[in-house]
């Protein structure tokens, strides 16, 4: 049984019992991914690590007046 079939079965059961219908599958996927990303960024900040290590390294490398700059 795939997710759509399970959702239809749950919706039918909820209607029979007078309960609210469940949310459709995949509705909160982006919200979940966004909250995971925010949590990951938050833990990096608490640990004192840069959020974007590659961006930080390239900025440091090509900073004006840097001896590493070509």
């Amino acid at each position: 049984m795939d997710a759509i079939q399970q959702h239809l079965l749950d919706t039918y059961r909820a209607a029979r019992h007078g309960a609210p219908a469940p949310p459709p599958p995949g509705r909160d996927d982006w919200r979940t991914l966004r909250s995971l990303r925010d949590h990951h960024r938050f833990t990096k900040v608490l640990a004192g690590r840069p959020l974007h290590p590659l961006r930080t390294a390239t900025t440091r490398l090509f900073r004006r007046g840097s001896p590493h700059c070509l």
Side-chain angles (χ1 to χ4, degrees), residues 5 7 13 19 24 28-29 35 47 53 60 66 68:
Q5 291 171 340
H7 174 68
R13 287 180 181 160
D28 297 325
D29 288 351
S35 68
R60 194 177 322 125
S66 173
H68 301 288

Side-chain angles (χ1 to χ4, degrees), residues 7-42:
H7 174 68
L8 291 174
L9 182 61
D10 292 341
T11 303
Y12 172 75
R13 287 180 181 160
R16 299 267 300 166
H17 293 290
R27 184 185 78 177
D28 297 325
D29 288 351
W30 288 112
R31 184 182 306 159
T32 303
L33 290 174
R34 212 173 293 126
S35 68
L36 284 172
R37 181 198 64 196
D38 292 344
H39 177 73
H40 181 70
R41 287 179 175 178
F42 182 69

